[in-house]
């Protein structure tokens, strides 16, 4: 990707003709009626965007030059899974120990709280809340994501250590829901971070959330939740989409 | 009006008394009594701060409940609404100030010296409507939006749907249902016959 | 000579494996018991194992420097050190570990050592929550150390030794010989200090997820966290074995399996006591817990020491 001519760079949806990427970042699973298959349109992004330098390092072009040394300049890397048996065992452990990042991004976060209570008791499924992105493995996007929140979502998502999974909760994450024509609400979450499971509804009840977790567990056990690797593979596409809406990008290009 | 408002300690005559006082002093006009405990008056932009000060210091309307704006695009003006509350009388008084929508006229005197919290409302109005409040602290910092470069989104000429389609990736296949029709068709078909 | 060293190494590995697995299962069981108290089903008893495997199976990890690496290592060394100088089962060759005549002093140092190492590692991470967590942890530790040391001094004065093995030996011959009954004041001060040491509920402000996020290990992830989770098991096991030895007569029987069973029952009860207190009382703030430890428990500890002196 080391091309000097950034003015004419075209960012395409992975999977579209002319791009080598094979993984389609469209949702693998949509539980519930809402959703639909997204046929991505080819996006031409303003040539101002420059994410990788010629040495395949992060440009961090939006940081002040004296700050650039403080942040990492390595884009995320694809890390291959192990061989069959061993990876199956690790995937089993990952699926039975899901730690949620305690970041309520929207109104749907109110549905996360009941899971802790005695009635729903998420602990029996190996699900726990965790207050720091470093230790958590599941990111539940609770409902609508505004542009301002999206910035924090991207930051938190990138700080989580892979393999990491994203659960889109509520219709707003699928197509904007009731805020689909708002000036400030992201319509398709999977254009900004890779999403593993969507839970449709406005609001989905805690039971639906648990059903989504069960679905996520099945997918992890089948080895289908490689969101972190998809993010690394299509890093420039995701970054271009993110920078397209987050206008005051005053953070490094990748927060590891 | 309803039971929950019977606690108000002020009679209509007293509201008219306050209004008459404001009228003779500042030319305040257009008294509208919406409820027993809520009334609205209109004043000129130049007199507004004096009216608010007088209401606060002489008539006991010490609490600024909120400050917001209404976009009257057809008439080419904003209506700023200062909602004041009197704790003793349990009465709300809204002071409406009209300012032009466009150009240098789209500005208003700051009241943050009377109510420090008003600075926050003024920041929001500046961001969402583009109304200037010269002298208000931190007025030009980002408030709810970050890095917004378009028209202020609450102005009515801002087409939020067009902006959304231009900026965010709409998911194809989204359909809209008329809620009333949907409920008639699916949820309450038998009741719908009697509607 | 070589054979002796190898045998000792083998014994150490066996001893460590037993205490690690036992403590992991115990932690899982107690979480389940706590869930039952709250009217829930609760996590499976083997959940700590899954968590450790999961943490170590993370594909990426972030280091903040050399001290960040060494923090969990120091912590684990503190846990291992504490356990390895305590004779887990009285009279057993395998489980006597590296106990010697002054092990009580060394062990008290090791309990502090892990926390200090953790403080260095957490400081290197640069996260403000880690620094606050460490400050709280050290403050609380200094507070509960006082009644703990007083009770240990009372025991050492009572039995005239600083060797845990000798203290256990002096308590053999029926439960009336246990220090808990011959020196009840020291036992009370020690067991209250034990509540603080195990970080269960009234004194859990240091690592409570609801407080400053998770405290010192905020930045610890992946295998760093896996190491801390393993250490949590070993350290908890070591502390329970220590208190069993000091106050509750240790675990002694001619048959090794029966002796292990005695150890399991006694440590289970000790941990159950911590769990019951934790399930019954709300969380203290740091300054509240410091005031608490420096109040009644310290006075009881002083009384225990004075009684031994006169």
């Amino acid at each position: 990707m080391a091309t000097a001519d950034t003015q004419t760079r075209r960012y395409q949806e992975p999977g579209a003709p002319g791009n080598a990427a094979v993984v389609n970042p469209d949702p693998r699973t949509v539980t519930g009626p809402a959703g639909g298959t997204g046929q991505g349109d080819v996006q031409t992004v303003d040539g101002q965007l420059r994410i990788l330098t010629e040495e395949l390092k992060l440009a961090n072009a939006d940081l002040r030059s004296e700050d650039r040394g403080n942040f990492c300049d390595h884009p995320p890397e694809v890390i291959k899974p192990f061989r069959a048996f061993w990876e199956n065992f690790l995937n089993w452990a990952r699926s039975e120990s899901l730690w949620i990042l305690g970041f309520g991004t929207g109104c749907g976060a109110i549905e996360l709280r009941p899971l802790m209570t005695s009635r729903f008791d998420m602990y029996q499924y190996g699900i726990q809340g965790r207050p720091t992105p470093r230790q958590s493995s599941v990111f539940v996007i609770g409902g609508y994501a505004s542009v301002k929140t999206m910035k924090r979502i991207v930051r938190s998502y990138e700080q989580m250590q892979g393999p990491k999974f994203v659960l889109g909760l509520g219709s707003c994450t699928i197509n904007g829901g009731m805020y689909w024509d708002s000036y400030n609400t992201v319509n398709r979450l999977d254009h900004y971070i890779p999403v593993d499971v969507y839970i449709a509804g406005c609001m989905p009840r805690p039971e639906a959330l648990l059903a989504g977790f069960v679905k996520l567990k099945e997918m992890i056990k089948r080895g289908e939740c490689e969101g972190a690797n998809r993010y690394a593979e299509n890093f420039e596409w995701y970054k271009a989409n993110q920078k397209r809406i987050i206008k005051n990008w005053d953070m490094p290009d990748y927060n590891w | 009006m309803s039971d929950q408002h019977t606690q108000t300690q002020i009679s209509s005559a007293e509201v008219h008394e306050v209004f008459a006082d404001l009228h003779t002093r500042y030319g305040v006009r257009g008294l509208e009594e919406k409820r027993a405990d809520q009334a609205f008056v209109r004043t000129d932009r130049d007199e507004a701060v004096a009216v608010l000060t007088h209401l606060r210091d002489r008539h006991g309307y010490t609490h600024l409940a909120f400050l917001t704006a209404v976009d009257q695009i057809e008439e080419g003006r904003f209506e700023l609404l200062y909602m004041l509350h009197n704790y003793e009388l349990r009465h709300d008084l809204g002071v409406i100030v009209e300012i032009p929508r466009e150009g240098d006229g789209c500005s208003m005197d700051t009241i943050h010296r009377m109510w420090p919290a008003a600075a926050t409302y003024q920041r929001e109005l500046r961001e969402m409507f583009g109304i200037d409040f010269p002298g208000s602290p931190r007025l030009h910092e980002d408030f709810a939006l970050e890095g917004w470069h378009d028209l202020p989104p609450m102005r009515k000429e801002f087409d939020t749907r067009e902006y959304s389609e231009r900026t965010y990736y709409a998911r194809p296949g989204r359909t809209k249902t008329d809620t009333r029709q949907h409920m008639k068709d699916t949820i309450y078909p038998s009741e719908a016959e009697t509607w | 000579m070589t054979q002796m060293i190898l045998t000792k190494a083998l014994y150490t590995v066996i001893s460590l494996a037993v205490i690690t697995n036992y403590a992991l299962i115990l932690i899982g069981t107690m979480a389940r018991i706590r869930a039952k108290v709250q009217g829930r089903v609760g996590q499976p008893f083997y959940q700590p194992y899954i968590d450790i495997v999961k943490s170590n199976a993370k594909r990426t990890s972030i280091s903040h420097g050399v001290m960040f690496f060494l923090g969990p290592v120091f912590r684990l060394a503190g846990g291992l050190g504490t356990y390895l100088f305590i004779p887990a089962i009285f009279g057993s060759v395998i489980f006597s570990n590296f106990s010697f005549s002054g092990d009580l002093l060394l062990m008290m140092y090791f309990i502090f050592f892990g926390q200090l190492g953790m403080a260095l590692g957490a400081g290197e991470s640069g996260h403000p929550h880690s620094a606050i967590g460490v400050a709280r942890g050290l403050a609380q530790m200094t507070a509960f150390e006082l009644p703990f040391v007083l009770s240990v001094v009372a025991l050492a004065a009572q039995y005239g030794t600083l060797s845990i093995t000798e203290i256990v030996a002096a308590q053999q011959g029926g439960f009336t010989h246990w220090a808990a009954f011959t020196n009840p004041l020291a036992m009370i001060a020690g067991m209250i200090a034990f509540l603080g040491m195990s970080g269960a509920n009234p004194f859990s402000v240091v690592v409570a997820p609801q407080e400053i996020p998770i405290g010192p290990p905020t930045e610890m992830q992946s295998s760093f966290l896996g190491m801390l989770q393993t250490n949590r098991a070993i350290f908890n096991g070591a502390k329970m074995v220590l208190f069993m030895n000091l106050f509750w007569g240790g675990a002694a029987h001619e048959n090794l399996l029966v002796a292990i069973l005695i150890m399991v029952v006694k440590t289970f009860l000790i941990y159950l006591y911590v769990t019951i207190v934790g399930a019954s009382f709300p969380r203290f703030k740091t300054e509240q817990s410091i005031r608490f430890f420096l109040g009644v428990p310290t006075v009881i500890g002083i009384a225990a020491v004075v009684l031994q002196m006169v």
Side-chain angles (χ1 to χ4, degrees), chain B residues 8 34 42 50 61-63 74-75 83 93 101 104 107 117 133 137 162 164 177 183 188:
Chain B
T8 184
K34 297 279 185 187
R42 287 172 179 272
Y61 288 88
T62 50
H63 175 67
E74 296 86 355
E75 285 129 57
M83 184 60 90
L93 187 63
R101 285 183 96 252
D104 293 340
S107 73
F133 292 89
E162 186 270 331
S164 172
T177 320
M183 288 175 78
Y188 309 109

Side-chain angles (χ1 to χ4, degrees), chain A residues 35-36 43 147-148 152 174-175 177 180-185 187-188 190-192 241 244-245 247-248, chain B residues 128 142-149 153-154 158 160-161 163-164 166-172 174 176:
Chain A
Q43 301 291 340
V147 174
K148 195 174 178 176
R152 279 78 184 167
I174 300 172
N175 57 11
W180 64 288
D181 58 352
S182 161
Y183 60 92
N184 209 14
T185 305
N187 271 348
R188 296 181 63 175
D190 48 36
H191 272 57
Y192 308 98
N241 286 344
R244 193 154 172 257
I245 58 161
K247 300 284 169 43
N248 62 337
Chain B
M128 291 293 181
D142 284 340
F143 182 59
L145 306 171
E146 285 183 347
W148 184 263
H149 298 309
M154 287 291 165
F158 175 78
T160 172
R161 181 170 175 181
Y163 180 85
S164 172
R166 175 157 48 93
T167 313
Y168 309 112
Y169 308 90
R171 189 184 288 277
R174 185 194 163 91
K176 261 185 86 175

Side-chain angles (χ1 to χ4, degrees), chain C residues 49-68:
Chain C
Y49 286 97
I50 306 179
D51 289 345
I52 290 176
V53 172
K54 195 275 304 261
S55 287
N56 286 308
K58 286 270 184 191
R59 290 185 189 146
T60 53
S61 68
I62 298 298
S63 169
H64 295 276
V66 177
M67 267 326 291
F68 188 78

Side-chain angles (χ1 to χ4, degrees), chain A residues 61-80:
Chain A
D62 303 279
L63 291 176
R64 289 180 302 173
S65 53
E66 63 265 32
D67 285 345
R68 277 182 208 154
N70 297 334
F71 296 97
C72 88
D73 56 359
H74 293 288
E77 289 168 4
V78 177
I79 298 170
K80 290 225 167 62

Side-chain angles (χ1 to χ4, degrees), chain A residues 72 74 133-134 158-162 164 254-256, chain C residues 58-65 68-69 72 125 219-225:
Chain A
C72 88
H74 293 288
R134 292 293 190 213
E158 289 179 350
Q159 286 181 13
M160 288 163 65
Q161 302 300 313
K164 45 194 170 184
Y254 184 61
N255 292 292
W256 35 272
Chain C
K58 286 270 184 191
R59 290 185 189 146
T60 53
S61 68
I62 298 298
S63 169
H64 295 276
F68 188 78
F69 266 106
S125 79
E219 279 288 305
M220 301 288 173
Q221 17 72 30
S222 307
S223 40
F224 298 105
L225 186 65

Side-chain angles (χ1 to χ4, degrees), chain C residues 2-13:
Chain C
T2 320
Q3 199 185 359
M4 219 177 79
I5 293 176
L6 283 180
T7 321
K8 192 71 194 167
L10 180 69
Y11 288 169
T12 310
V13 169

